[in-house]
Amino acid sequence: MLALSFLFLLPEAFAMNGHIADGPKWVIDDTKWFTLGIGFRGSGVWAENRDTGNFQSGFSIDNARVYLNGQIHKYVKFESYTECTFCNNTHPGDNPRMSYNVLAAIGKVEINRFVNFWGGRMLVPTERGELSAPFYHATHDAIKTPFFPQGFSTKFGSLGAGRYGHDDGGTFWGNVEPGFIKGTLGYALGVYRGLQSSTPARMGPNQGDSVAWAGRLTYNFLNPEPNPGYYTRNTYFG
């Protein structure tokens, strides 16, 4: 298998989930600006059938995203990006068909590195794999199988799967230096819509539609990761 990954015009260095590299930025003044970008990830398979000698090939669109990021006030920012669901289902009769969905839509109040609040549809602060996003993951296709409740929290895909670790809610996050041990403590705590059972049969877990509480604490004994918010990256160790 030959895995092909590239990113084009992705805005703001690490400004979003799917984060990477500088892109076109429109600046109004010191506190007002916005960026627009796209991200793509695909894979190709070329294999020979040893029994027949036939050569088989195929190409898959794994991620196709559009990013919008900006700031409208000293402390107020926003972030949004889409995702292609069932990207390769483009032939007549395919069910489900390819569609584009708003994967994230976040309003941000960022006071300083210690105290910040995000509200809207966003990544739930759980394990590192979900928070690293597809473009910053150590494996090629690690986040399309939902292992956590936030992966099943909408009607994307079959039985709600396909939100890639996102849910509706709010996250309170920041970074501090406690002082008792040299290093930086990062925290992210929030409440979210939670897993939704199917209706009207009311089958599945969480039939009472209880909200989900989630949180994550990290301690960097050396340097904190240079990522926005509580996002992570799996492309390096440390």
Side-chain angles (χ1 to χ4, degrees):
M1 173 179 289
L2 176 63
L4 302 174
S5 299
F6 70 87
L7 295 164
F8 177 69
L9 298 181
L10 280 170
E12 275 306 293
F14 297 104
M16 308 172 217
N17 172 28
H19 21 261
I20 208 177
D22 293 324
K25 182 176 182 179
W26 292 266
V27 178
I28 300 173
D29 56 36
D30 292 340
T31 60
K32 299 180 183 66
W33 52 265
F34 72 93
T35 59
L36 183 66
I38 59 175
F40 174 82
R41 198 174 65 111
S43 58
V45 178
W46 293 267
E48 181 182 2
N49 188 320
R50 295 183 178 181
D51 296 330
T52 64
N54 294 331
F55 193 77
Q56 299 174 328
S57 64
F59 182 78
S60 172
I61 300 174
D62 299 311
N63 296 97
R65 298 188 175 186
V66 177
Y67 299 92
L68 178 64
N69 192 48
Q71 179 173 314
I72 59 176
H73 182 271
K74 181 179 180 180
Y75 301 119
V76 180
K77 301 178 182 179
F78 63 89
E79 173 183 341
S80 181
Y81 47 91
T82 64
E83 178 61 288
C84 176
T85 306
F86 303 106
C87 301
N88 300 295
N89 292 6
T90 58
H91 299 91
D94 284 345
N95 185 25
R97 294 296 302 274
M98 181 190 72
S99 64
Y100 279 92
N101 300 281
V102 177
L103 190 59
I106 313 170
K108 305 178 178 182
V109 178
E110 298 187 354
I111 307 301
N112 50 46
R113 62 185 295 263
F114 308 108
V115 178
N116 303 278
F117 176 79
W118 291 2
R121 180 180 298 175
M122 70 196 76
L123 279 167
V124 176
T126 53
E127 49 80 49
R128 190 175 183 86
E130 295 280 4
L131 294 177
S132 293
F135 302 118
Y136 276 84
H137 213 283
T139 56
H140 183 72
D141 207 12
I143 64 172
K144 286 194 173 182
T145 301
F147 294 107
F148 297 91
Q150 61 269 19
F152 291 92
S153 56
T154 73
K155 295 181 180 180
F156 290 5
S158 176
L159 301 178
R163 207 179 208 186
Y164 308 110
H166 293 67
D167 202 354
D168 300 329
T171 305
F172 181 67
W173 65 272
N175 296 277
V176 297
E177 285 80 26
F180 53 85
I181 298 178
K182 184 178 179 180
T184 301
L185 173 67
Y187 69 90
L189 307 169
V191 58
Y192 310 89
R193 175 188 293 179
L195 181 114
Q196 304 290 291
S197 294
S198 59
T199 57
R202 307 301 296 167
M203 299 174 63
N206 194 25
Q207 295 186 17
D209 288 340
S210 300
V211 298
W213 296 84
R216 177 181 172 86
L217 297 174
T218 60
Y219 203 94
N220 295 281
F221 295 95
L222 297 176
N223 298 322
E225 295 185 51
N227 304 319
Y230 50 91
Y231 297 155
T232 63
R233 285 181 290 171
N234 278 355
T235 52
Y236 66 90
F237 299 98

